[in-house]
Amino acid sequence: MATKLQETKCKIHSVKLTSYCNDCDDFVCNMCKQPKSGQHDGHVLMSATEKTNELKEEVGDYMNMINENVFNHVQQNIREAYSIQSGLERNCEELINEGNRREKHLMKEIQKSSRKLKDDIEAHRLKYSPGLASKLGNLEDNKKRIESLLKRCENSINTGNSYEILELIKTKSSALNFNTTFSSLTTVPKMELHPLRPVYLVGDIFGSIRQSRVVSSEGIRVLKSWRYDIYIENIFARHDCIWVNKTGFFVSVKPLTVQEVDRKLCPVYPGSFIVTASSEIIYSVSHEHSIYKITPVLTVKLKHTYPYVPSGLCLALQGGFYATMYRAGAHGKVVRYVNDECSDWSEIVCYKNGESVLKKPVKIVENANRDLWVIDASPGSVIGFNSVGRLKCEYKGKRDNFEPIGICIDCRCNILISDYGNKLIDVLLHDGQLLTSIKLQPFGISRPMGICVTKDGHLCVGQGNGYVHVLRYLQ
């Protein structure tokens, strides 16, 4: 900067600057320092070159001071930072290696424990269960023999071979173990010779066989009854317990002792609910257009279905669950969610003559052959269709005032429907034919709503007045 000022011309005389005035701290020319006429006359002056060299020395001293006091300190801090970074990287690597070593050790321990557990199971099985294994084998053989005989009966019916079915019944009735005598069929061979009766006769015989596989109304009796403070429209069987939604809670009870096993908070009244294998409850809330799940930790919203209203729910045999949905001014549908998180789904619509059959589906169940049975509240009917939407049958009841409310499947794949209007439970075969009707008034049940069948054959019926009745259904 001093060199630049020295090379600059004087502002007053426009000549080269040759001297430096210590009094004014400025560079001046020769004319400015003339005696009497110059502005700097009598001031202490020195050569501009000397002043420039002096300033350069001062700048050099400042640079040295900066290097010593600042730059060196920054360099030291940088070296220390690199040292800390290297130490952290070494520590992270050691932690990762230690974690890998512990993981391998734990995996070895788990595998070792698993092998020991399998060995213990095998030893226990060989030591304690040969008799049980033998009984199970005999039961399995009997099951296969019965299924083979039933298949022969079906084939005989389809082909119209009456003589074969009669011979099969007379010779193998004990093996079928239907708990039914066929003494009334002793005169059948004479009637079989009539040319106009074989088909109807065989149909009657096979109808008797199917009827014998379900306990009639006379064999049912009430085992237990108790009351809640809300009408029981939803009831669900899980293992040896039943789940009921009472005010503010889902409650799990033993059906015969009414012992409460578990309860989960539910501040709303659900449209329907199911209980998963892990005891998590999934329920629908119609007015919120949402499906929720209660986990052991909290309640989460799985799906918002607006503009469709979710109503009925049922577990799917291949995992996940089904949900029935409807909306005003549109047809209803069934949605299958592949998992409990509702992350993947597919829609099922049942058509008849190019038009959707479902109007307002409210309840749904799935039987063993993956057929879906849906209660449609708009026409008051029960519709059966397969997993791709192909219609199988539409059951509208055999009496007036048919009002289906609850639906479930028993262990023999029969469809049970609670008829609120006629105070009955209709039992349908897998093809939709009416097998029998159970009159409920003799048991004090006048408003049947939610129904379910436990794995040990107890029929649980919920009433509109809050009562739950447990009936001995399957003998």
Side-chain angles (χ1 to χ4, degrees):
M1 211 176 176
T3 305
K4 186 176 180 181
L5 288 173
Q6 183 181 0
E7 295 176 353
T8 305
K9 294 183 179 180
C10 180
K11 298 178 181 179
I12 301 174
H13 304 102
S14 300
V15 295
K16 185 177 179 181
L17 300 173
T18 58
S19 302
Y20 179 80
C21 178
N22 291 321
D23 295 339
C24 299
D25 195 17
D26 193 9
F27 287 91
V28 297
C29 63
N30 291 329
M31 298 181 66
C32 291
K33 63 180 181 179
Q34 291 294 328
K36 298 182 180 179
S37 61
Q39 296 180 355
H40 299 276
D41 183 21
H43 292 182
V44 177
L45 299 174
M46 61 184 299
S47 170
T49 302
E50 294 178 359
K51 183 61 178 177
T52 300
N53 294 332
E54 182 181 340
L55 292 175
K56 287 181 179 180
E57 291 178 0
E58 292 182 3
V59 170
D61 295 337
Y62 279 112
M63 290 297 295
N64 293 332
M65 182 184 66
I66 290 172
N67 287 333
E68 292 177 358
N69 298 333
V70 179
F71 186 74
N72 292 337
H73 182 67
V74 171
Q75 288 289 345
Q76 182 180 358
N77 290 340
I78 291 174
R79 287 192 296 270
E80 292 178 357
Y82 278 124
S83 175
I84 294 173
Q85 181 181 359
S86 300
L88 290 175
E89 290 177 352
R90 287 193 300 272
N91 291 337
C92 289
E93 187 175 356
E94 291 177 359
L95 289 174
I96 292 172
N97 293 334
E98 181 65 22
N100 292 335
R101 286 194 296 271
R102 292 190 179 184
E103 181 181 2
K104 292 179 180 179
H105 178 71
L106 288 175
M107 290 300 297
K108 290 181 180 178
E109 291 294 329
I110 292 172
Q111 292 174 358
K112 181 179 178 180
S113 300
S114 177
R115 288 193 298 269
K116 185 177 183 303
L117 180 60
K118 290 181 180 179
D119 295 339
D120 292 343
I121 291 174
E122 289 296 329
H124 187 274
R125 183 178 300 169
L126 292 174
K127 185 176 180 180
Y128 295 105
S129 62
L132 179 60
S134 177
K135 291 181 179 179
L136 290 177
N138 294 335
L139 290 176
E140 190 67 25
D141 294 340
N142 291 336
K143 177 183 175 183
K144 291 180 180 178
R145 185 170 66 254
I146 291 172
E147 289 177 350
S148 176
L149 293 172
L150 290 175
K151 188 174 182 180
R152 288 178 59 188
C153 289
E154 290 280 3
N155 294 335
S156 301
I157 292 299
N158 294 333
T159 58
N161 192 338
S162 305
Y163 293 101
E164 183 180 347
I165 186 65
L166 289 174
E167 187 66 24
L168 190 65
I169 291 173
K170 288 192 297 182
T171 58
K172 301 296 183 180
S173 60
S174 60
L176 290 175
N177 193 20
F178 287 140
N179 297 324
T180 303
T181 60
F182 296 93
S183 59
S184 60
L185 299 177
T186 55
T187 59
V188 170
K190 296 180 181 180
M191 299 179 63
E192 185 65 22
L193 300 176
H194 198 287
L196 298 179
R197 289 297 303 277
V199 176
Y200 299 100
L201 183 61
V202 172
D204 293 341
I205 293 171
F206 193 68
S208 301
I209 294 174
R210 290 191 295 185
Q211 178 70 25
S212 67
R213 299 176 69 185
V214 177
V215 179
S216 62
S217 299
E218 289 74 14
I220 298 177
R221 63 184 185 275
V222 177
L223 301 179
K224 193 72 176 180
S225 297
W226 69 94
R227 187 178 184 182
Y228 286 115
D229 55 352
I230 193 170
Y231 60 94
I232 309 300
E233 183 180 358
N234 298 304
I235 187 169
F236 189 88
R238 166 60 68 187
H239 304 303
D240 58 344
C241 298
I242 61 172
W243 285 84
V244 178
N245 176 244
K246 59 177 296 186
T247 304
F249 296 95
F250 288 109
V251 181
S252 173
V253 297
K254 298 282 187 180
L256 296 182
T257 62
V258 200
Q259 176 187 358
E260 183 175 324
V261 178
D262 192 9
R263 78 165 41 194
K264 298 182 184 297
L265 181 65
C266 180
V268 299
Y269 188 81
S272 181
F273 72 91
I274 53 178
V275 183
T276 65
S278 57
S279 297
E280 295 179 339
I281 297 179
I282 301 175
Y283 65 94
S284 62
V285 182
S286 301
H287 65 275
E288 294 183 8
H289 301 83
S290 299
I291 299 175
Y292 291 85
K293 179 171 72 171
I294 300 178
T295 67
V297 180
L298 74 167
T299 300
V300 297
K301 181 186 288 189
L302 295 180
K303 195 70 177 178
H304 186 66
T305 61
Y306 184 84
Y308 280 90
V309 177
S311 51
L313 303 175
C314 79
L315 294 173
L317 295 178
Q318 293 188 337
F321 63 95
Y322 291 98
T324 58
M325 299 186 186
Y326 62 88
R327 59 176 295 189
H331 297 294
K333 63 181 180 180
V334 175
V335 179
R336 193 220 163 172
Y337 294 101
V338 179
N339 50 46
D340 296 347
E341 305 302 327
C342 297
S343 58
D344 189 11
W345 69 90
S346 61
E347 295 185 0
I348 304 174
V349 181
C350 181
Y351 288 96
K352 180 181 179 181
N353 299 328
E355 184 178 356
S356 176
V357 178
L358 301 177
K359 305 299 181 183
K360 188 179 180 181
V362 292
K363 295 292 175 63
I364 183 173
V365 291
E366 183 186 23
N367 62 5
N369 56 0
R370 296 184 61 194
D371 289 336
L372 300 175
W373 295 84
V374 175
I375 294 180
D376 200 328
S378 181
S381 63
V382 179
I383 300 170
F385 52 93
N386 61 14
S387 58
V388 296
R390 182 179 179 182
L391 179 65
K392 295 190 65 175
C393 70
E394 186 175 0
Y395 179 75
K396 296 185 179 181
K398 300 299 182 181
R399 300 171 180 82
D400 296 335
N401 302 323
F402 180 63
E403 188 178 353
I405 298 294
I407 187 170
C408 69
I409 303 291
D410 66 11
C411 60
R412 291 172 179 168
C413 294
N414 299 315
I415 300 95
L416 279 67
I417 305 164
S418 63
D419 184 356
Y420 187 88
N422 296 297
K423 305 175 180 60
L424 299 172
I425 290 182
D426 289 338
V427 183
L428 307 182
L429 294 172
H430 62 87
D431 56 359
Q433 298 182 22
L434 178 64
L435 184 59
T436 185
S437 294
I438 302 173
K439 296 180 180 180
L440 298 176
Q441 282 186 316
F443 310 126
I445 304 175
S446 59
R447 300 165 65 185
M449 300 186 74
I451 57 175
C452 69
V453 177
T454 63
K455 66 176 183 179
D456 52 357
H458 292 135
L459 172 60
C460 301
V461 183
Q463 283 206 81
N465 56 7
Y467 276 97
V468 178
H469 298 265
V470 181
L471 290 76
R472 176 77 261 184
Y473 171 60
L474 298 176
Q475 300 289 347

